[in-house]
Amino acid sequence: MAQSKEQRSYYRIDDDILLKVKPVDKHQIQQGNAAVLFPESANLQLLNEFSKLGRELAKINLDAHSAVQAALRIQDKRLNLLANYLFSQHNANSPVAPVSLSEDGIAFSLEKAPYKGAQLALAMTFLSGGYSIFTFAEVLRTEPKGKQYLVAARFRNISDSDKSIIARHILVSQRKPASP
C-alpha cells in the first residue's frame, strides 16, 4: 500500500491553475465537447490552437537547414512571448485555484459541495504553459475543509492528447526547483 501511495504522489502535483467548474448532466456529456460550455473561454481555445501549431512547426523544423532552423526558433520564441503577454493581460483578474492534479483526475475546493457521482465540466488553464484543457469529470468524494469543500474528481472521456498535456505539465513541474 505504501508503495502504491508513493507511486500515486509521484504522478500528482499541487499547482495553481485557472479553473472554471460547471455542473452538467449526462446529455451534455454525450454531446462530448466541454469547450462549448465555456463560451467566455474562446481566447483559451485560440491559445491552444496556437500552441498546437507551434508543436507541429517544431516537428517540421527538424529537417530544415540549421540557419533556417535557428531563425524559426527565434521567431517562435517571439510569438510565444507575445501570446503569453496577451494571455496574461486578458486573464489578469481571473481567479487562480490551488489544485492537486494527475493524469486521471483533479482535486480542488468549492464553496458548495457537489454530490458523489455528480458530473462536472472543467476548463483548466496551466499558467506556466498557457495550455487549456476542457473536459468532463465525475465527483468521487467531497470533504469539508473550513468554509469550503475539497472535491476529488476523475476525468471522463479525456482525450489522449489532453492526457499527454497533463503528463508533460506534471513532468515539467516536477523538474522545477522548489520555490523558497
Side-chain angles (χ1 to χ4, degrees):
M1 177 76 176
Q3 183 181 10
S4 173
K5 187 172 184 165
E6 185 178 307
Q7 278 184 321
R8 200 172 127 221
S9 67
Y10 181 75
Y11 298 106
R12 177 174 293 281
I13 60 167
D14 293 327
D15 199 5
D16 292 329
I17 66 172
L18 294 178
L19 177 66
K20 295 180 182 178
V21 180
K22 290 186 179 183
V24 294
D25 59 36
K26 291 183 192 247
H27 173 72
Q28 291 168 307
I29 293 172
Q30 288 172 347
Q31 291 178 337
N33 187 358
V36 300
L37 299 171
F38 299 95
E40 71 281 5
S41 299
N43 62 326
L44 298 177
Q45 293 172 31
L46 287 173
L47 188 60
N48 277 354
E49 189 62 26
F50 178 81
S51 298
K52 180 181 168 189
L53 292 171
R55 289 190 300 274
E56 288 177 19
L57 181 61
K59 289 176 189 174
I60 294 170
N61 288 343
L62 294 176
D63 297 330
H65 183 273
S66 62
V68 173
Q69 221 176 23
L72 287 173
R73 268 196 299 269
I74 291 169
Q75 187 66 16
D76 190 47
K77 285 180 183 179
R78 290 177 66 210
L79 289 171
N80 280 327
L81 286 171
L82 181 60
N84 286 331
Y85 172 76
L86 292 172
F87 172 78
S88 65
Q89 291 298 307
H90 189 270
N91 292 291
N93 297 324
S94 297
V96 175
V99 300
S100 180
L101 180 70
S102 76
E103 282 184 57
D104 297 324
I106 187 170
F108 52 90
S109 294
L110 288 177
E111 290 181 10
K112 247 179 150 177
Y115 62 90
K116 181 180 178 180
Q119 306 300 309
L120 305 172
L122 305 174
M124 305 178 292
T125 301
F126 307 116
L127 302 173
S128 60
Y131 297 107
S132 294
I133 293 176
F134 300 90
T135 192
F136 297 102
E138 179 179 354
V139 175
L140 300 176
R141 69 180 178 283
T142 60
E143 301 168 10
K145 185 180 175 185
K147 293 183 178 182
Q148 296 194 324
Y149 293 89
L150 180 64
V151 178
R154 179 183 322 127
F155 298 131
R156 291 197 51 192
N157 304 333
I158 190 166
S159 71
D160 288 340
S161 63
D162 285 346
K163 268 191 175 185
S164 176
I165 288 171
I166 293 172
R168 200 168 36 246
H169 179 73
I170 290 170
L171 288 173
V172 168
S173 294
Q174 289 174 336
R175 288 184 193 143
K176 287 181 186 172
S179 54

